[in-house]
Amino acid sequence: MPSTFEKKRILIWGKTYPELSQQYGETVCTAGCLEDGRPVRIYPVPFRLLDDYEQYRLYQWVRAPIKPSADDPRPESYKVNVDRIELGDVIDPDPGWMKRRQIIEKDLSWHFESVGDLKAAQRQSDRSLGIVPVGEISRVYIEERSDEKQAEHERELQAIRAQNQLFQDQSSPHLQFQKHRIRVEWKCGTPEGIHPDCDGHDMTILDWGLGELARREGPEKARQKMEALADPKTYDLKFFLGNMLAYQTTFTIVGLWYPKRKDLGERRAPLFE
């Protein structure tokens, strides 16, 4: 593996809501695909780079010097030279998101029929990113995080400020504790419906767009947005899933794939009953 930075072209498909890091300050975990379709995770991206949360957008090409992370053994994890990220073209949505599919589906090694298959790949090859189709969503709900989590956040924030690691206005609303998160109870899908081997999952959605909507307009608005995206008459929903370095056997939702159905005459059973 190369030990020096190499400039690569990356199509961004996922950004998580900013988190605090003792080492880097505030960071955004960003995921995308190389030109050959292989998934990558680039980290850390300091929040100071994102004066506007859409400074680089989903499905935008960027050029960035990256190299395999020495601190993170997951094969998709790369260190990025944030000072040399160059913004490129955005692939706007078209019917079926076909132009986006040309990259997202170029390498099918990270496309799985179920979370169980993704976890098997994690055990075998340390796979840490994957995309899985949704067959059913039984519940979209708001999780209220504990007072202990909020106190921990405030301690980390004060420690980072003491080390002068924040590079933007310290009153930034994005540094405030995210009291509510959106969770979904769901099952993996097949073209015929629910995957027969799926017993169901209950996961947090860390997607930045949904988190930003909750911050600006309240968690109920974000919950309603997620419920709308799960309408099988309108969207063909899949979840981008990723794990954390400290909990590599546990996956959570780090991005959403929701092209509108090309043939609205085809219907699956409703995800919500």
Side-chain angles (χ1 to χ4, degrees):
M1 293 179 118
S3 59
T4 58
F5 286 101
E6 291 185 322
K7 183 165 283 190
K8 296 290 185 179
R9 194 163 176 248
I10 305 167
L11 181 68
I12 304 300
W13 54 253
K15 299 184 297 183
T16 61
Y17 202 76
E19 293 285 346
L20 296 179
S21 164
Q22 287 284 343
Q23 183 175 1
Y24 300 113
E26 73 298 347
T27 59
V28 174
C29 185
T30 301
C33 285
L34 301 176
E35 289 183 280
D36 63 6
R38 285 183 296 138
V40 294
R41 172 192 297 104
I42 56 174
Y43 187 90
V45 179
F47 185 72
R48 65 185 172 90
L49 189 67
L50 306 173
D51 296 327
D52 181 321
Y53 86 97
E54 288 189 338
Q55 183 164 344
Y56 62 79
R57 296 165 52 188
L58 294 184
Y59 301 102
Q60 182 170 20
W61 285 104
V62 302
R63 288 188 180 274
I66 62 173
K67 66 178 181 180
S69 175
D71 306 319
D72 186 342
R74 293 174 294 176
E76 301 93 340
S77 294
Y78 285 78
K79 199 102 168 185
V80 61
N81 184 338
V82 296
D83 295 324
R84 295 179 60 195
I85 293 179
E86 302 170 5
L87 304 184
D89 295 336
V90 175
I91 302 180
D92 291 323
D94 58 359
W97 289 13
M98 297 308 296
K99 292 180 180 178
R100 295 174 175 182
R101 286 181 192 273
Q102 291 176 3
I103 301 300
I104 298 298
E105 297 182 357
K106 199 169 188 177
D107 176 3
L108 296 179
S109 67
W110 63 294
H111 291 245
F112 298 92
E113 293 184 357
S114 69
V115 175
D117 291 340
L118 172 56
K119 289 184 174 182
Q122 190 281 325
R123 292 191 296 269
Q124 182 177 8
S125 62
D126 295 325
R127 171 70 68 185
S128 66
L129 292 172
I131 183 169
V132 174
V134 176
E136 175 187 82
I137 292 182
S138 58
R139 185 184 177 205
V140 180
Y141 66 101
I142 299 168
E143 174 190 44
E144 182 170 341
R145 302 169 72 194
S146 68
D147 293 340
E148 290 77 11
K149 285 287 186 183
Q150 183 166 3
E152 179 182 346
H153 175 94
E154 294 299 330
R155 288 194 297 270
E156 290 181 355
L157 182 58
Q158 292 302 321
I160 293 169
R161 283 175 171 161
Q163 297 173 39
N164 296 317
Q165 289 184 342
L166 295 185
F167 297 97
Q168 77 291 321
D169 180 3
Q170 294 186 6
S171 65
S172 168
H174 299 289
L175 297 178
Q176 297 173 1
F177 179 69
Q178 195 177 20
K179 184 66 174 177
H180 301 94
R181 282 180 170 166
I182 305 302
R183 294 184 66 94
V184 292
E185 295 176 358
W186 65 288
K187 291 185 178 180
C188 306
T190 69
E192 293 74 32
I194 300 171
H195 195 287
D197 298 327
C198 181
D199 295 327
H201 315 284
D202 185 345
M203 293 184 179
T204 301
I205 302 177
L206 300 180
D207 173 75
W208 192 347
L210 212 60
E212 177 66 6
L213 180 60
R215 184 190 68 80
R216 288 188 285 107
E217 300 187 35
E220 175 58 22
K221 185 68 79 171
R223 191 198 68 79
Q224 292 174 7
K225 173 67 174 178
M226 184 62 242
E227 190 165 279
L229 291 179
D231 178 3
K233 298 185 294 295
T234 306
Y235 300 102
D236 185 22
L237 181 64
K238 297 182 181 181
F239 288 147
F240 290 103
L241 302 179
N243 63 12
M244 299 179 67
L245 178 60
Y247 306 99
Q248 295 187 35
T249 61
T250 301
F251 286 83
T252 191
I253 300 165
V254 295
L256 307 171
W257 174 266
Y258 52 95
K260 290 185 176 180
R261 291 189 175 278
K262 291 170 57 178
D263 184 357
L264 295 182
E266 294 184 5
R267 297 284 191 267
R268 288 189 297 173
L271 299 185
F272 294 96
E273 298 182 355

